[in-house]
Amino acid sequence: MARFAMITEADARMLPEGSTVELLPRGHVTPLAADTLRDRRITVIRADQAVEGDGADLVPVAQVRRLIVGSDHTGVALKAFLVSALRGRGLAVQAVGPEGAAPAPADYPDIAEQVGLAVVRKEADAGIVIDGAGLGSTMAANKVAGVRAALCLNETLARYAREHNGANVLALGASLLTPTDALAIVMVFLGTPMTEPRYIRRLTKLQRLDKARST
């Protein structure tokens, strides 16, 4: 991967279209170069891990501060546990979906849509959806354009989902996890940033698949 202390417009025009380059610490991109990089779909990865260019707006928020957590009726208890634990860690958490000891039935697509829309509208930095097995909520959330939802049953999957795949919504199965295990998965998910250029580049290809599906 090419590395630059400064990227000029001439440099930007010489780079292969759709490629990825690294900008060294305290490096600089000229204004004309920035326009050319964007037009040529070139991703610039800074040494400090900030991203410019194609793919930058797809990278999930690294420092999650605002979270939305939703469940159907089967995930009410787990949702309440997670919301309390996460608020105790200083996060701003919005809870959606049924609540209480005897919650009314709720359909997971409705909850997943609500969570997904909040994330893509940037009303929340990340989302969590919960149902009995987590499968339905994953499928439903991924129908919302811009959502990358991943069902994670352990901490390794949570790390991969964020680091490799840029997931912005975590799905959990209330019947498959203890509250303690679920919280551990959530903390790994929220604490793992996406920084590798090759992974970020692949998000643009996922976006193209989304657009192809909608046409």
Side-chain angles (χ1 to χ4, degrees):
M1 180 172 57
R3 307 176 74 197
F4 294 86
M6 174 181 287
I7 302 177
T8 66
E9 185 183 19
D11 296 324
R13 292 192 180 281
M14 292 294 293
L15 292 168
E17 188 168 343
S19 63
T20 300
V21 299
E22 182 179 358
L23 190 65
L24 296 175
R26 299 182 182 178
H28 177 66
V29 179
T30 67
L32 288 176
D35 292 339
T36 302
L37 291 168
R38 182 173 55 252
D39 292 342
R40 294 174 56 79
R41 300 183 295 106
I42 296 169
T43 298
V44 177
I45 305 298
R46 292 185 179 273
D48 60 6
Q49 306 302 344
V51 184
E52 294 181 356
D54 193 32
D57 59 337
L58 302 177
V59 178
V61 175
Q63 297 293 325
V64 175
R65 292 289 180 263
R66 301 168 303 149
L67 190 64
I68 181 168
V69 183
S71 75
D72 68 1
H73 53 285
T74 65
V76 166
L78 180 57
K79 177 179 64 179
F81 174 84
L82 292 176
V83 167
S84 176
L86 293 169
R87 285 175 177 166
R89 285 164 168 77
L91 296 179
V93 184
Q94 177 186 0
V96 297
E99 298 181 355
D107 294 332
Y108 64 81
D110 298 332
I111 307 302
E113 180 184 26
Q114 190 173 354
V115 170
L117 287 174
V119 172
V120 299
R121 291 171 178 168
K122 301 188 184 305
E123 297 165 1
D125 298 327
I128 299 173
V129 288
I130 309 169
D131 62 36
L135 292 168
S137 292
T138 306
M139 294 176 185
N142 279 323
K143 298 292 185 182
V144 178
V147 167
R148 295 181 298 277
L151 171 62
C152 298
L153 301 178
N154 55 54
E155 295 173 50
T156 299
L157 288 176
R159 179 169 61 84
Y160 285 172
R162 287 282 280 182
E163 181 181 356
H164 290 230
N165 308 116
N168 50 16
V169 172
L170 170 66
L172 299 172
S175 66
L176 305 177
L177 299 166
T178 67
T180 301
D181 287 343
L183 180 59
I185 290 168
V186 168
M187 296 312 297
V188 169
F189 183 87
L190 298 181
T192 302
M194 185 184 203
T195 58
E196 283 286 341
R198 66 185 186 275
Y199 300 147
I200 296 170
R201 185 179 68 249
R202 290 165 189 165
L203 294 186
T204 65
K205 297 186 177 183
L206 285 177
Q207 185 184 52
R208 286 198 288 272
L209 290 175
D210 264 342
K211 291 181 178 177
R213 184 180 62 185
S214 63
T215 58

